[in-house]
């Protein structure tokens, strides 16, 4: 049992021991000094103008939203060239991950995913009793797709592929994805988690919309939280076979997506908003390039960064201790995300944060 769980007060009622054994989710602490929050892969820009307009319009918040949200789903369906029931909305794409695991994996069934990857993956099966099967990344911080295919068993019900991989940054290339899919049983669900898709510049990267039609067992996940900057409104979506998405609907908490989130997402898809969005993405991608080259200039082996974050590995080519580096950042009032034993993830954010990051890392390396 973890320290956090053993320190928790004893509940006055009978609860599941396996649930009590897991520490509850803790958001990163707020900075104690003025600094940058580079720990959650958030967008540093204020909302798009079209979203501001929506938010300033007093919505009918005394009413539940119409759950089917056909207008938004139709807009997204048109982008992917699928029917309306091929799109499923939820309060964040993380909600859809939980829904799909609950729909696919019974007690003892396996959820296969790379590691390190999105921190939510290991706990997705907790409430349904499904087991997380993490497969280490390659030395280049990429998915080891051969090892993942080797790890598929009779109990594997869902395979999670994160591209670009949070927290390390590389994408899965399309050719590698196709080779992997040939080794996945046709009745096993594969989820392509593309939360950072809009930041991808690698032409060889797999893109959900290009491969979806070839694979009936594939579901593509997208979110409005990252490039679109709507993290606080909670809205994401899945595209895939209607029968799979209908099962996710069954395991979903009803009426979780708010009308405000729906309206903001729709506004973000209008032509003016898209142009504004594209310009912001370009700025963040340029900052990413600057940050990667600055860190490589300090002698660090930074993997290919295709999201809105960069990864400093712990170990050869990286820093001695991810936890110590994160502490050095915190001492300067800037928050980054340590993965103890693996590395540190730093979000690409405000222009002013770039020299601060480089300066702190330079100082940290010089002090060793
Ligand atoms: C890879 C990945 N998938 C999904 C999510 C969930 O995003 P949201 O629930 O805000 O849509 C995140 C958030 O950090 C992520 O990094």
């Amino acid at each position: 049992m973890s320290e956090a769980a053993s320190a928790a007060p004893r509940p006055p009622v009978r609860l599941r021991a396996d649930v009590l054994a897991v520490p509850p989710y803790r958001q990163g602490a707020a900075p104690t000094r003025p600094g940058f929050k580079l720990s959650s892969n958030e967008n540093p820009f204020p909302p798009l103008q079209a979203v501001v307009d929506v938010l300033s319009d007093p919505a009918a918040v005394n009413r539940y939203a119409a759950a089917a949200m056909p207008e938004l789903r139709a807009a997204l369906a048109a982008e992917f060239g699928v029917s309306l029931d091929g799109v499923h909305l939820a309060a964040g794409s993380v909600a859809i991950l939980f829904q799909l695991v609950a729909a696919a994996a019974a007690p003892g069934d396996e959820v296969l995913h790379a590691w390190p990857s999105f921190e939510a993956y290991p706990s997705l099966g907790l409430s349904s009793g499904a087991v997380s099967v993490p497969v280490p990344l390659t030395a280049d911080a990429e998915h080891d797709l051969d090892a993942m295919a080797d790890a598929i068993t009779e109990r594997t019900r869902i395979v999670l592929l994160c591209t670009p991989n949070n927290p390390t940054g590389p994408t899965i290339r399309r050719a590698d994805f196709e080779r992997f899919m040939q080794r996945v049983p046709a009745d096993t669900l594969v989820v392509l988690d593309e939360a950072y898709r809009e930041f991808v510049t690698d032409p060889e990267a797999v893109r959900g919309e290009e491969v979806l039609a070839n694979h009936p067992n594939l579901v593509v996940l997208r979110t409005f939280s990252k490039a679109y900057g709507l993290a606080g409104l909670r809205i994401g979506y899945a595209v895939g076979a209607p029968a799979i998405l209908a099962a996710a609907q069954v395991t979903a908490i009803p009426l979780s997506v708010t009308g405000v989130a729906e309206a903001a997402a729709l506004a973000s898809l209008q032509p003016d908003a898209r142009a504004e969005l594209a310009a912001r993405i370009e700025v963040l991608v340029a900052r990413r390039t600057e940050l990667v080259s600055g860190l490589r200039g300090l002698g660090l082996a930074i993997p290919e960064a295709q999201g809105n974050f960069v990864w400093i590995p712990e170990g050869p080519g990286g820093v001695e201790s991810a936890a110590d580096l994160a502490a050095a950042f915190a001492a300067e009032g800037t928050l980054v995300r340590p993965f103890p034993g693996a590395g540190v993830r730093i979000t690409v954010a405000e222009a002013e944060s770039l020299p601060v990051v480089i300066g702190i890392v330079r100082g940290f390396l010089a002090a060793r």
Side-chain angles (χ1 to χ4, degrees), residues 92-94 97 118 121 162 166 193 195-196 223 225-226 234-236:
S93 56
V94 69
L97 286 165
F118 180 32
Y121 291 167
C162 186
N166 172 14
D193 183 345
Y196 303 93
T223 182
S225 295
K226 304 298 179 181
R234 312 303 302 127
I235 184 159

Side-chain angles (χ1 to χ4, degrees), residues 71-336:
E71 206 185 336
L72 177 58
R73 284 168 58 227
L76 298 169
E79 298 207 346
F80 277 80
V82 300
S83 62
L84 191 66
D85 53 4
V87 177
H88 168 61
L89 297 169
S93 56
V94 69
I96 304 176
L97 286 165
F98 277 95
Q99 293 163 14
L100 289 171
V101 168
D109 286 341
E110 293 170 358
V111 179
L112 186 65
H113 59 87
W115 196 253
S117 194
F118 180 32
E119 284 156 293
Y121 291 167
S123 56
L124 293 176
L126 183 65
S127 59
S128 53
V131 182
S132 151
V133 179
V135 176
L137 298 172
T138 66
D140 295 331
E142 299 186 5
H143 280 60
D144 189 340
L145 292 175
D146 289 335
M148 289 185 76
D150 291 343
I152 294 174
T153 73
E154 296 230 314
R155 298 303 302 259
T156 306
R157 291 291 173 276
I158 180 163
V159 180
L160 308 172
L161 300 177
C162 186
T163 178
N165 188 49
N166 172 14
T168 56
T171 54
I172 295 172
R173 277 168 290 277
R174 182 175 177 166
D176 296 335
F177 169 82
E178 290 295 354
R179 215 170 307 119
F180 175 73
M181 289 302 280
Q182 282 174 9
R183 292 191 61 193
V184 179
D187 61 358
T188 301
L189 174 59
V190 177
V191 175
L192 195 64
D193 183 345
E194 295 190 283
Y196 303 93
R197 160 72 175 81
E198 295 81 3
F199 300 108
V200 173
T201 50
D202 178 0
E204 286 182 33
V206 65
R207 291 165 202 277
E209 67 273 24
E210 292 173 4
V211 293
L212 197 56
N214 304 336
H215 303 287
N217 58 335
L218 180 68
V219 166
V220 173
L221 277 195
R222 297 277 176 85
T223 182
F224 285 95
S225 295
K226 304 298 179 181
Y228 287 88
L230 300 184
L233 284 180
R234 312 303 302 127
I235 184 159
Y237 61 100
V239 188
I244 301 175
L245 302 185
Q249 190 71 59
V250 170
T251 55
I253 297 172
L255 299 168
S256 299
V257 186
T258 66
V260 178
E262 177 199 21
L266 255 177
S268 307
L269 297 175
Q270 303 314 310
D272 283 359
R274 278 177 195 269
E276 203 183 340
L277 182 78
R280 290 173 171 202
I281 290 170
E282 211 174 296
V283 168
L284 288 172
V285 166
R287 288 181 194 166
R288 177 179 80 194
T289 305
E290 192 181 329
L291 198 51
V292 168
S293 68
L295 292 170
R296 285 183 180 157
L298 299 177
L300 293 168
I302 306 297
E304 181 200 0
Q306 287 283 303
N308 63 341
F309 50 89
V310 299
W311 175 249
I312 300 179
E314 178 177 300
V319 292
E320 243 171 60
S321 161
D324 287 355
L325 177 58
F329 271 97
E332 299 296 328
T334 287
L335 297 178
V336 296

Side-chain angles (χ1 to χ4, degrees), residues 1 4-22 24:
M1 188 183 282
S6 61
R10 250 176 85 106
V13 294
R14 278 179 291 179
L15 299 176
R16 282 172 44 182
D18 54 344
V19 170
L20 293 177
V22 180

